[in-house]
Short mmCIF file of all heavy atoms in Angstrom, two decimals:
data_model
loop_
_atom_site.label_atom_id
_atom_site.label_comp_id
_atom_site.label_asym_id
_atom_site.label_seq_id
_atom_site.Cartn_x
_atom_site.Cartn_y
_atom_site.Cartn_z
N MET B 753 0.82 -1.17 0.05
CA MET B 753 -0.01 0.02 0.01
C MET B 753 0.89 1.21 -0.04
O MET B 753 2.00 1.28 0.60
CB MET B 753 -0.91 -0.02 1.26
CG MET B 753 -1.84 -1.16 1.29
SD MET B 753 -3.14 -0.81 2.30
CE MET B 753 -4.36 -0.61 1.07
N ALA B 754 0.42 2.30 -0.72
CA ALA B 754 1.13 3.52 -0.74
C ALA B 754 0.14 4.68 -0.97
O ALA B 754 -0.92 4.46 -1.38
CB ALA B 754 2.14 3.42 -1.90
N PHE B 755 0.60 5.83 -0.63
CA PHE B 755 -0.14 7.10 -0.84
C PHE B 755 0.79 8.08 -1.53
O PHE B 755 1.90 8.19 -1.07
CB PHE B 755 -0.77 7.54 0.48
CG PHE B 755 -1.34 8.90 0.36
CD1 PHE B 755 -2.70 9.02 -0.06
CD2 PHE B 755 -0.68 10.12 0.66
CE1 PHE B 755 -3.23 10.23 -0.09
CE2 PHE B 755 -1.35 11.31 0.55
CZ PHE B 755 -2.64 11.38 0.11
N GLU B 756 0.38 8.83 -2.49
CA GLU B 756 1.18 9.78 -3.04
C GLU B 756 0.36 10.99 -3.38
O GLU B 756 -0.84 10.93 -3.61
CB GLU B 756 1.82 9.34 -4.37
CG GLU B 756 1.01 9.21 -5.69
CD GLU B 756 1.75 8.79 -6.85
OE1 GLU B 756 2.86 8.21 -6.68
OE2 GLU B 756 1.27 9.05 -7.95
N TYR B 757 1.08 12.17 -3.33
CA TYR B 757 0.35 13.40 -3.55
C TYR B 757 1.25 14.18 -4.60
O TYR B 757 2.43 14.28 -4.32
CB TYR B 757 0.14 14.22 -2.35
CG TYR B 757 -0.86 15.38 -2.59
CD1 TYR B 757 -2.10 15.28 -2.34
CD2 TYR B 757 -0.35 16.63 -3.07
CE1 TYR B 757 -3.07 16.22 -2.57
CE2 TYR B 757 -1.12 17.69 -3.28
CZ TYR B 757 -2.51 17.53 -3.07
OH TYR B 757 -3.42 18.61 -3.25
N ASP B 758 0.72 14.55 -5.69
CA ASP B 758 1.41 15.23 -6.67
C ASP B 758 1.27 16.79 -6.51
O ASP B 758 0.22 17.37 -6.50
CB ASP B 758 0.86 14.96 -8.10
CG ASP B 758 1.78 15.58 -9.22
OD1 ASP B 758 2.64 16.45 -8.99
OD2 ASP B 758 1.54 15.30 -10.34
N PHE B 759 2.33 17.54 -6.13
CA PHE B 759 2.39 18.91 -5.81
C PHE B 759 2.77 19.75 -6.99
O PHE B 759 2.97 20.90 -6.86
CB PHE B 759 3.31 19.21 -4.62
CG PHE B 759 2.93 18.60 -3.34
CD1 PHE B 759 3.40 17.45 -2.90
CD2 PHE B 759 2.05 19.26 -2.44
CE1 PHE B 759 3.01 16.98 -1.59
CE2 PHE B 759 1.58 18.81 -1.33
CZ PHE B 759 2.04 17.58 -0.80
N THR B 760 2.80 19.22 -8.19
CA THR B 760 3.30 19.94 -9.25
C THR B 760 2.55 21.20 -9.54
O THR B 760 1.35 21.33 -9.61
CB THR B 760 3.16 19.14 -10.60
OG1 THR B 760 3.82 17.80 -10.45
CG2 THR B 760 3.74 19.78 -11.78
N GLU B 761 3.32 22.23 -9.68
CA GLU B 761 2.66 23.57 -9.77
C GLU B 761 2.18 23.83 -11.28
O GLU B 761 1.22 24.45 -11.56
CB GLU B 761 3.65 24.78 -9.38
CG GLU B 761 3.97 24.70 -7.99
CD GLU B 761 4.86 25.86 -7.54
OE1 GLU B 761 4.99 26.78 -8.36
OE2 GLU B 761 5.45 25.72 -6.51
N THR B 762 2.93 23.36 -12.29
CA THR B 762 2.59 23.50 -13.70
C THR B 762 1.53 22.44 -14.06
O THR B 762 1.61 21.21 -13.54
CB THR B 762 3.76 23.34 -14.59
OG1 THR B 762 4.31 22.13 -14.46
CG2 THR B 762 4.72 24.40 -14.29
N LEU B 763 0.66 22.70 -14.90
CA LEU B 763 -0.41 21.74 -15.41
C LEU B 763 -0.03 21.21 -16.71
O LEU B 763 -0.94 20.72 -17.39
CB LEU B 763 -1.74 22.50 -15.44
CG LEU B 763 -2.22 23.01 -14.06
CD1 LEU B 763 -3.59 23.73 -14.26
CD2 LEU B 763 -2.36 21.81 -13.10
N ARG B 764 1.21 21.16 -17.12
CA ARG B 764 1.66 20.53 -18.29
C ARG B 764 1.69 19.00 -18.26
O ARG B 764 2.21 18.40 -17.33
CB ARG B 764 2.99 21.05 -18.76
CG ARG B 764 3.01 22.53 -19.16
CD ARG B 764 4.37 22.88 -19.50
NE ARG B 764 4.89 22.08 -20.53
CZ ARG B 764 6.16 22.11 -21.04
NH1 ARG B 764 7.04 22.92 -20.52
NH2 ARG B 764 6.58 21.24 -22.00
N ASN B 765 1.17 18.37 -19.22
CA ASN B 765 1.27 16.92 -19.36
C ASN B 765 2.20 16.50 -20.43
O ASN B 765 2.18 17.03 -21.48
CB ASN B 765 -0.15 16.35 -19.66
CG ASN B 765 -1.20 16.54 -18.51
OD1 ASN B 765 -0.79 16.44 -17.39
ND2 ASN B 765 -2.36 16.66 -18.92
N GLU B 766 3.24 15.72 -20.00
CA GLU B 766 4.25 15.31 -20.94
C GLU B 766 4.57 13.79 -20.87
O GLU B 766 4.35 13.21 -19.80
CB GLU B 766 5.54 15.95 -20.66
CG GLU B 766 5.76 17.35 -21.06
CD GLU B 766 7.16 17.94 -20.79
OE1 GLU B 766 7.96 17.16 -20.32
OE2 GLU B 766 7.42 18.99 -21.28
N ALA B 767 4.92 13.24 -22.08
CA ALA B 767 5.32 11.86 -22.06
C ALA B 767 6.61 11.83 -22.96
O ALA B 767 6.51 12.15 -24.15
CB ALA B 767 4.24 11.01 -22.62
N ASN B 768 7.79 11.43 -22.46
CA ASN B 768 8.96 11.39 -23.18
C ASN B 768 9.33 12.64 -24.01
O ASN B 768 9.81 12.80 -24.99
CB ASN B 768 8.96 10.22 -24.29
CG ASN B 768 8.85 8.89 -23.66
OD1 ASN B 768 9.48 8.63 -22.65
ND2 ASN B 768 8.22 8.05 -24.33
N GLY B 769 9.07 13.84 -23.12
CA GLY B 769 9.38 15.10 -23.71
C GLY B 769 8.35 15.66 -24.67
O GLY B 769 8.54 16.77 -25.18
N VAL B 770 7.29 15.03 -24.99
CA VAL B 770 6.36 15.51 -25.89
C VAL B 770 5.13 15.95 -25.08
O VAL B 770 4.54 15.10 -24.33
CB VAL B 770 5.90 14.39 -26.91
CG1 VAL B 770 4.79 14.84 -27.79
CG2 VAL B 770 7.13 13.93 -27.74
N GLU B 771 4.62 17.15 -25.31
CA GLU B 771 3.48 17.66 -24.54
C GLU B 771 2.21 17.08 -25.06
O GLU B 771 1.95 16.94 -26.25
CB GLU B 771 3.45 19.20 -24.62
CG GLU B 771 2.40 19.78 -23.67
CD GLU B 771 2.38 21.24 -23.65
OE1 GLU B 771 3.49 21.95 -24.17
OE2 GLU B 771 1.57 21.88 -23.04
N ILE B 772 1.35 16.69 -24.13
CA ILE B 772 -0.05 16.18 -24.41
C ILE B 772 -0.96 17.22 -24.18
O ILE B 772 -1.29 17.70 -23.02
CB ILE B 772 -0.33 14.91 -23.49
CG1 ILE B 772 0.80 13.86 -23.70
CG2 ILE B 772 -1.69 14.38 -23.91
CD1 ILE B 772 0.73 12.67 -22.71
N HIS B 773 -1.67 17.70 -25.29
CA HIS B 773 -2.75 18.65 -25.15
C HIS B 773 -4.11 18.09 -24.87
O HIS B 773 -4.47 17.00 -25.35
CB HIS B 773 -2.79 19.45 -26.49
CG HIS B 773 -1.57 20.26 -26.78
ND1 HIS B 773 -1.16 21.39 -26.15
CD2 HIS B 773 -0.59 19.98 -27.65
CE1 HIS B 773 0.04 21.74 -26.57
NE2 HIS B 773 0.38 20.98 -27.55
N GLY B 774 -4.89 18.80 -23.97
CA GLY B 774 -6.19 18.34 -23.65
C GLY B 774 -6.25 17.24 -22.67
O GLY B 774 -7.28 16.82 -22.24
N GLY B 775 -5.08 16.84 -22.08
CA GLY B 775 -5.10 15.86 -20.99
C GLY B 775 -5.39 16.48 -19.53
O GLY B 775 -5.16 17.63 -19.41
N GLU B 776 -5.91 15.72 -18.74
CA GLU B 776 -6.29 16.07 -17.35
C GLU B 776 -5.14 16.06 -16.46
O GLU B 776 -4.23 15.16 -16.52
CB GLU B 776 -7.38 15.30 -16.80
CG GLU B 776 -7.94 15.65 -15.52
CD GLU B 776 -9.01 14.72 -14.95
OE1 GLU B 776 -9.62 14.03 -15.73
OE2 GLU B 776 -9.17 14.70 -13.72
N SER B 777 -4.89 17.08 -15.58
CA SER B 777 -3.84 17.06 -14.67
C SER B 777 -4.00 15.88 -13.64
O SER B 777 -5.04 15.65 -13.19
CB SER B 777 -3.73 18.43 -13.91
OG SER B 777 -2.87 18.39 -12.81
N ILE B 778 -2.81 15.32 -13.11
CA ILE B 778 -2.92 14.28 -12.17
C ILE B 778 -2.54 14.87 -10.78
O ILE B 778 -2.25 14.19 -9.82
CB ILE B 778 -2.07 13.03 -12.45
CG1 ILE B 778 -0.63 13.46 -12.57
CG2 ILE B 778 -2.64 12.31 -13.69
CD1 ILE B 778 0.30 12.20 -12.61
N ARG B 779 -2.60 16.26 -10.64
CA ARG B 779 -2.19 16.89 -9.41
C ARG B 779 -3.35 16.46 -8.46
O ARG B 779 -4.45 16.61 -8.58
CB ARG B 779 -2.15 18.36 -9.59
CG ARG B 779 -1.81 19.15 -8.48
CD ARG B 779 -1.67 20.65 -8.74
NE ARG B 779 -1.29 21.37 -7.68
CZ ARG B 779 -1.13 22.61 -7.63
NH1 ARG B 779 -1.49 23.38 -8.73
NH2 ARG B 779 -0.66 23.22 -6.58
N GLY B 780 -2.79 16.00 -7.24
CA GLY B 780 -3.77 15.61 -6.14
C GLY B 780 -3.33 14.27 -5.48
O GLY B 780 -2.08 13.82 -5.73
N ALA B 781 -4.17 13.62 -4.76
CA ALA B 781 -3.86 12.47 -4.01
C ALA B 781 -4.20 11.22 -4.72
O ALA B 781 -5.24 11.18 -5.37
CB ALA B 781 -4.59 12.51 -2.69
N THR B 782 -3.34 10.20 -4.59
CA THR B 782 -3.68 8.93 -5.10
C THR B 782 -3.30 7.74 -4.14
O THR B 782 -2.25 7.80 -3.51
CB THR B 782 -2.80 8.65 -6.43
OG1 THR B 782 -3.21 9.60 -7.39
CG2 THR B 782 -3.12 7.23 -6.98
N GLY B 783 -4.14 6.84 -4.00
CA GLY B 783 -3.90 5.69 -3.15
C GLY B 783 -3.55 4.48 -4.05
O GLY B 783 -4.15 4.29 -5.12
N ILE B 784 -2.53 3.64 -3.63
CA ILE B 784 -2.03 2.57 -4.52
C ILE B 784 -2.02 1.35 -3.58
O ILE B 784 -1.50 1.31 -2.53
CB ILE B 784 -0.72 2.83 -5.00
CG1 ILE B 784 -0.68 4.09 -5.80
CG2 ILE B 784 -0.20 1.75 -5.91
CD1 ILE B 784 0.73 4.71 -6.13
N GLY B 785 -2.60 0.15 -4.06
CA GLY B 785 -2.56 -0.99 -3.43
C GLY B 785 -1.99 -2.14 -4.32
O GLY B 785 -2.23 -2.03 -5.54
N GLU B 786 -1.18 -3.05 -3.86
CA GLU B 786 -0.54 -4.07 -4.69
C GLU B 786 -0.64 -5.44 -4.08
O GLU B 786 -0.38 -5.46 -2.84
CB GLU B 786 0.98 -3.60 -5.05
CG GLU B 786 1.54 -4.60 -5.91
CD GLU B 786 2.94 -4.16 -6.27
OE1 GLU B 786 3.04 -3.38 -7.23
OE2 GLU B 786 3.89 -4.63 -5.58
N ALA B 787 -0.83 -6.46 -4.84
CA ALA B 787 -0.86 -7.83 -4.29
C ALA B 787 -0.12 -8.68 -5.42
O ALA B 787 -0.31 -8.39 -6.54
CB ALA B 787 -2.31 -8.38 -4.05
N GLY B 788 0.67 -9.61 -5.03
CA GLY B 788 1.33 -10.39 -5.93
C GLY B 788 1.72 -11.80 -5.39
O GLY B 788 1.64 -12.11 -4.28
N LEU B 789 2.31 -12.54 -6.33
CA LEU B 789 2.79 -13.82 -6.07
C LEU B 789 4.11 -14.03 -6.82
O LEU B 789 4.19 -13.78 -8.06
CB LEU B 789 1.75 -14.95 -6.55
CG LEU B 789 2.11 -16.36 -6.42
CD1 LEU B 789 2.22 -16.72 -4.89
CD2 LEU B 789 1.09 -17.26 -6.99
N ARG B 790 5.09 -14.63 -6.14
CA ARG B 790 6.37 -14.85 -6.69
C ARG B 790 6.70 -16.37 -6.50
O ARG B 790 6.65 -16.67 -5.30
CB ARG B 790 7.46 -13.96 -6.06
CG ARG B 790 8.77 -13.88 -6.74
CD ARG B 790 9.54 -12.77 -6.14
NE ARG B 790 10.82 -12.80 -6.78
CZ ARG B 790 11.42 -11.84 -7.42
NH1 ARG B 790 10.77 -10.68 -7.46
NH2 ARG B 790 12.57 -11.90 -7.91
N HIS B 791 7.01 -17.06 -7.52
CA HIS B 791 7.22 -18.62 -7.36
C HIS B 791 8.46 -18.94 -8.05
O HIS B 791 8.80 -18.68 -9.20
CB HIS B 791 6.11 -19.22 -7.90
CG HIS B 791 6.19 -20.72 -7.93
ND1 HIS B 791 6.23 -21.53 -6.79
CD2 HIS B 791 6.51 -21.69 -8.97
CE1 HIS B 791 6.40 -22.81 -7.06
NE2 HIS B 791 6.62 -22.92 -8.33
N ALA B 792 9.31 -19.62 -7.23
CA ALA B 792 10.61 -20.18 -7.76
C ALA B 792 10.73 -21.58 -7.19
O ALA B 792 10.88 -21.73 -5.92
CB ALA B 792 11.77 -19.35 -7.44
N LYS B 793 10.76 -22.59 -7.95
CA LYS B 793 10.89 -24.07 -7.60
C LYS B 793 12.35 -24.22 -7.10
O LYS B 793 13.30 -23.78 -7.88
CB LYS B 793 10.45 -24.92 -8.68
CG LYS B 793 10.35 -26.42 -8.21
CD LYS B 793 9.79 -27.20 -9.32
CE LYS B 793 9.53 -28.71 -8.93
NZ LYS B 793 9.07 -29.41 -9.96
N ALA B 794 12.63 -25.01 -6.05
CA ALA B 794 14.01 -25.22 -5.62
C ALA B 794 14.74 -26.01 -6.67
O ALA B 794 14.24 -26.93 -7.13
CB ALA B 794 13.96 -26.09 -4.36
N GLY B 795 15.93 -25.45 -7.05
CA GLY B 795 16.90 -26.10 -8.01
C GLY B 795 16.53 -25.75 -9.41
O GLY B 795 17.20 -26.16 -10.37
N SER B 796 15.44 -25.04 -9.72
CA SER B 796 15.05 -24.60 -11.10
C SER B 796 15.55 -23.20 -11.34
O SER B 796 15.47 -22.31 -10.47
CB SER B 796 13.49 -24.60 -11.16
OG SER B 796 13.17 -24.12 -12.38
N PRO B 797 15.97 -22.87 -12.57
CA PRO B 797 16.50 -21.62 -12.95
C PRO B 797 15.38 -20.62 -13.22
O PRO B 797 15.60 -19.48 -13.41
CB PRO B 797 17.33 -21.83 -14.20
CG PRO B 797 16.81 -23.16 -14.87
CD PRO B 797 16.21 -23.97 -13.66
N TRP B 798 14.12 -21.12 -13.21
CA TRP B 798 12.96 -20.33 -13.51
C TRP B 798 12.40 -19.62 -12.33
O TRP B 798 12.38 -20.20 -11.29
CB TRP B 798 11.90 -21.17 -14.17
CG TRP B 798 12.20 -21.44 -15.61
CD1 TRP B 798 12.62 -22.69 -15.99
CD2 TRP B 798 12.04 -20.64 -16.73
NE1 TRP B 798 12.87 -22.62 -17.37
CE2 TRP B 798 12.51 -21.40 -17.88
CE3 TRP B 798 11.52 -19.40 -16.95
CZ2 TRP B 798 12.49 -21.01 -19.18
CZ3 TRP B 798 11.52 -18.89 -18.25
CH2 TRP B 798 12.02 -19.69 -19.41
N LEU B 799 11.93 -18.43 -12.50
CA LEU B 799 11.25 -17.59 -11.46
C LEU B 799 10.03 -16.88 -12.14
O LEU B 799 10.15 -16.29 -13.26
CB LEU B 799 12.23 -16.46 -10.97
CG LEU B 799 11.50 -15.56 -10.01
CD1 LEU B 799 11.44 -16.06 -8.69
CD2 LEU B 799 12.27 -14.23 -9.96
N PHE B 800 8.88 -17.00 -11.60
CA PHE B 800 7.70 -16.48 -12.07
C PHE B 800 7.12 -15.37 -11.09
O PHE B 800 7.05 -15.57 -9.94
CB PHE B 800 6.55 -17.49 -12.33
CG PHE B 800 7.02 -18.50 -13.40
CD1 PHE B 800 7.55 -19.67 -13.04
CD2 PHE B 800 6.89 -18.21 -14.68
CE1 PHE B 800 8.00 -20.59 -13.92
CE2 PHE B 800 7.31 -19.09 -15.69
CZ PHE B 800 7.94 -20.29 -15.27
N ASP B 801 6.66 -14.24 -11.62
CA ASP B 801 6.20 -13.19 -10.83
C ASP B 801 4.92 -12.60 -11.36
O ASP B 801 4.80 -12.30 -12.54
CB ASP B 801 7.17 -12.07 -10.74
CG ASP B 801 6.97 -10.98 -9.75
OD1 ASP B 801 6.07 -11.15 -8.87
OD2 ASP B 801 7.66 -9.90 -9.72
N VAL B 802 3.80 -12.51 -10.60
CA VAL B 802 2.53 -11.98 -11.02
C VAL B 802 2.13 -10.88 -10.02
O VAL B 802 2.24 -11.17 -8.77
CB VAL B 802 1.38 -12.95 -11.05
CG1 VAL B 802 0.03 -12.39 -11.44
CG2 VAL B 802 1.80 -14.15 -12.00
N ARG B 803 1.84 -9.62 -10.53
CA ARG B 803 1.36 -8.63 -9.61
C ARG B 803 0.23 -7.85 -10.16
O ARG B 803 0.06 -7.59 -11.32
CB ARG B 803 2.55 -7.51 -9.37
CG ARG B 803 3.68 -8.19 -8.75
CD ARG B 803 4.85 -7.17 -8.70
NE ARG B 803 6.01 -7.81 -8.27
CZ ARG B 803 6.77 -7.50 -7.15
NH1 ARG B 803 6.40 -6.50 -6.43
NH2 ARG B 803 7.79 -8.14 -6.96
N LEU B 804 -0.78 -7.52 -9.13
CA LEU B 804 -1.96 -6.70 -9.57
C LEU B 804 -1.85 -5.52 -8.72
O LEU B 804 -1.69 -5.53 -7.49
CB LEU B 804 -3.21 -7.49 -9.23
CG LEU B 804 -4.55 -6.71 -9.48
CD1 LEU B 804 -4.65 -6.40 -10.98
CD2 LEU B 804 -5.67 -7.61 -9.15
N ARG B 805 -1.96 -4.35 -9.43
CA ARG B 805 -1.81 -2.93 -8.74
C ARG B 805 -3.14 -2.24 -9.01
O ARG B 805 -3.60 -2.20 -10.11
CB ARG B 805 -0.62 -2.25 -9.21
CG ARG B 805 -0.39 -0.98 -8.66
CD ARG B 805 0.81 -0.22 -8.96
NE ARG B 805 1.96 -0.88 -8.39
CZ ARG B 805 3.14 -0.66 -8.65
NH1 ARG B 805 3.44 0.36 -9.54
NH2 ARG B 805 4.15 -1.12 -8.09
N GLY B 806 -3.70 -1.62 -7.99
CA GLY B 806 -4.94 -0.79 -8.15
C GLY B 806 -4.73 0.63 -7.73
O GLY B 806 -3.84 0.79 -6.77
N TYR B 807 -5.37 1.61 -8.29
CA TYR B 807 -5.20 3.00 -8.02
C TYR B 807 -6.58 3.56 -7.64
O TYR B 807 -7.53 3.21 -8.38
CB TYR B 807 -4.61 3.71 -9.29
CG TYR B 807 -3.25 3.26 -9.69
CD1 TYR B 807 -3.19 2.28 -10.62
CD2 TYR B 807 -2.09 3.71 -9.20
CE1 TYR B 807 -1.94 1.78 -11.16
CE2 TYR B 807 -0.88 3.25 -9.72
CZ TYR B 807 -0.84 2.22 -10.60
OH TYR B 807 0.36 1.84 -11.04
N CYS B 808 -6.65 4.46 -6.75
CA CYS B 808 -7.85 5.11 -6.44
C CYS B 808 -7.51 6.56 -6.09
O CYS B 808 -6.34 6.85 -5.70
CB CYS B 808 -8.54 4.49 -5.20
SG CYS B 808 -7.63 4.60 -3.72
N GLY B 809 -8.43 7.49 -6.11
CA GLY B 809 -8.13 8.89 -5.91
C GLY B 809 -8.03 9.69 -7.29
O GLY B 809 -8.88 9.40 -8.13
N LYS B 810 -7.06 10.49 -7.43
CA LYS B 810 -6.91 11.21 -8.68
C LYS B 810 -6.61 10.37 -9.88
O LYS B 810 -7.11 10.58 -11.02
CB LYS B 810 -5.77 12.26 -8.51
CG LYS B 810 -5.71 13.24 -9.44
CD LYS B 810 -6.98 14.10 -9.51
CE LYS B 810 -6.79 15.14 -10.60
NZ LYS B 810 -7.95 15.95 -10.74
N ARG B 811 -5.80 9.26 -9.66
CA ARG B 811 -5.67 8.29 -10.69
C ARG B 811 -6.43 7.05 -10.33
O ARG B 811 -6.37 6.57 -9.34
CB ARG B 811 -4.22 7.79 -10.78
CG ARG B 811 -3.25 8.90 -11.30
CD ARG B 811 -1.90 8.41 -11.58
NE ARG B 811 -1.19 7.92 -10.33
CZ ARG B 811 -0.11 7.21 -10.42
NH1 ARG B 811 0.47 6.87 -11.55
NH2 ARG B 811 0.44 6.81 -9.27
N GLU B 812 -7.25 6.56 -11.28
CA GLU B 812 -8.15 5.48 -11.00
C GLU B 812 -7.81 4.41 -12.05
O GLU B 812 -7.58 4.71 -13.22
CB GLU B 812 -9.58 5.81 -11.06
CG GLU B 812 -9.95 6.76 -9.96
CD GLU B 812 -11.48 7.00 -9.95
OE1 GLU B 812 -12.06 6.67 -10.90
OE2 GLU B 812 -11.95 7.60 -8.95
N GLY B 813 -7.80 3.10 -11.62
CA GLY B 813 -7.52 2.07 -12.57
C GLY B 813 -6.78 0.94 -12.00
O GLY B 813 -6.64 0.80 -10.78
N ALA B 814 -6.30 0.02 -12.84
CA ALA B 814 -5.58 -1.16 -12.35
C ALA B 814 -4.48 -1.47 -13.41
O ALA B 814 -4.62 -1.15 -14.54
CB ALA B 814 -6.52 -2.37 -12.12
N SER B 815 -3.54 -2.29 -13.02
CA SER B 815 -2.49 -2.74 -13.90
C SER B 815 -2.14 -4.18 -13.43
O SER B 815 -2.19 -4.52 -12.29
CB SER B 815 -1.22 -1.87 -13.85
OG SER B 815 -0.55 -1.82 -12.76
N LEU B 816 -1.67 -4.98 -14.37
CA LEU B 816 -1.33 -6.35 -14.15
C LEU B 816 0.08 -6.53 -14.78
O LEU B 816 0.30 -6.23 -15.96
CB LEU B 816 -2.30 -7.35 -14.83
CG LEU B 816 -1.96 -8.78 -14.71
CD1 LEU B 816 -2.08 -9.23 -13.24
CD2 LEU B 816 -2.83 -9.59 -15.57
N LYS B 817 0.98 -7.16 -13.95
CA LYS B 817 2.40 -7.45 -14.41
C LYS B 817 2.60 -8.95 -14.45
O LYS B 817 2.44 -9.51 -13.32
CB LYS B 817 3.34 -6.76 -13.51
CG LYS B 817 4.79 -7.04 -13.79
CD LYS B 817 5.74 -6.46 -12.80
CE LYS B 817 7.14 -6.95 -13.00
NZ LYS B 817 8.02 -6.43 -11.90
N LEU B 818 2.99 -9.49 -15.47
CA LEU B 818 3.40 -10.87 -15.52
C LEU B 818 4.83 -10.97 -16.02
O LEU B 818 5.21 -10.39 -16.93
CB LEU B 818 2.59 -11.66 -16.63
CG LEU B 818 0.99 -11.53 -16.45
CD1 LEU B 818 0.33 -12.10 -17.59
CD2 LEU B 818 0.69 -12.35 -15.11
N GLN B 819 5.62 -11.67 -15.23
CA GLN B 819 7.12 -11.77 -15.49
C GLN B 819 7.60 -13.17 -15.34
O GLN B 819 7.37 -13.81 -14.40
CB GLN B 819 7.88 -10.81 -14.64
CG GLN B 819 9.30 -10.66 -14.89
CD GLN B 819 9.95 -9.57 -14.05
OE1 GLN B 819 9.27 -8.73 -13.46
NE2 GLN B 819 11.28 -9.62 -13.91
N ALA B 820 8.51 -13.59 -16.23
CA ALA B 820 9.20 -14.82 -16.08
C ALA B 820 10.66 -14.61 -16.31
O ALA B 820 11.01 -13.91 -17.16
CB ALA B 820 8.69 -15.90 -17.19
N GLU B 821 11.50 -15.16 -15.44
CA GLU B 821 12.96 -14.99 -15.51
C GLU B 821 13.52 -16.38 -15.56
O GLU B 821 13.21 -17.32 -14.93
CB GLU B 821 13.41 -14.22 -14.25
CG GLU B 821 12.97 -12.84 -14.09
CD GLU B 821 13.45 -12.22 -12.81
OE1 GLU B 821 14.47 -12.64 -12.24
OE2 GLU B 821 12.83 -11.30 -12.30
N TYR B 822 14.66 -16.36 -16.30
CA TYR B 822 15.47 -17.56 -16.34
C TYR B 822 16.92 -17.24 -16.01
O TYR B 822 17.54 -16.38 -16.75
CB TYR B 822 15.47 -18.19 -17.82
CG TYR B 822 16.22 -19.46 -17.95
CD1 TYR B 822 15.66 -20.71 -17.54
CD2 TYR B 822 17.50 -19.45 -18.39
CE1 TYR B 822 16.36 -21.92 -17.63
CE2 TYR B 822 18.31 -20.63 -18.54
CZ TYR B 822 17.71 -21.86 -18.18
OH TYR B 822 18.34 -23.03 -18.24
N GLY B 823 17.44 -17.71 -14.94
CA GLY B 823 18.80 -17.39 -14.50
C GLY B 823 19.81 -18.51 -15.00
O GLY B 823 19.50 -19.59 -14.87
N PHE B 824 20.91 -17.93 -15.54
CA PHE B 824 21.90 -18.83 -15.96
C PHE B 824 23.31 -18.30 -15.60
O PHE B 824 23.47 -17.27 -15.13
CB PHE B 824 21.83 -19.08 -17.48
CG PHE B 824 21.87 -17.85 -18.33
CD1 PHE B 824 23.10 -17.32 -18.82
CD2 PHE B 824 20.70 -17.14 -18.60
CE1 PHE B 824 23.07 -16.24 -19.61
CE2 PHE B 824 20.76 -15.98 -19.34
CZ PHE B 824 22.00 -15.54 -19.81
#
């Protein structure tokens, strides 16, 4: 769980240095919750990670992360 507050004074929206016109400011409070599962079998080089993250407040929505790693 986390809480963040964006204090940005400017209302410019940018992504990779490119300004986004007509976008809504994310200035304000956001709550973040995350749950996940990480599995690695003993002796196996594989590791699997699944995470679900939810946002509430100024930013609303959810994201899902699926990851597989092979160590050598």
Side-chain angles (χ1 to χ4, degrees):
M753 300 201 102
F755 174 80
E756 75 177 19
Y757 192 92
D758 185 353
F759 292 98
T760 307
E761 293 180 17
T762 61
L763 297 179
R764 291 180 54 190
N765 293 321
E766 278 187 357
N768 296 324
V770 177
E771 188 172 351
I772 301 169
H773 296 284
E776 184 180 337
S777 170
I778 61 169
R779 185 177 184 183
T782 299
I784 304 167
E786 181 178 274
L789 176 66
R790 193 172 176 120
H791 176 71
K793 191 173 181 180
S796 173
W798 287 98
L799 171 84
F800 298 96
D801 191 13
V802 177
R803 294 175 192 240
L804 177 63
R805 182 178 285 177
Y807 302 90
C808 64
K810 192 62 178 177
R811 290 191 293 167
E812 293 182 351
S815 66
L816 177 67
K817 174 186 172 186
L818 304 169
Q819 182 176 344
E821 296 179 24
Y822 183 82
F824 55 93

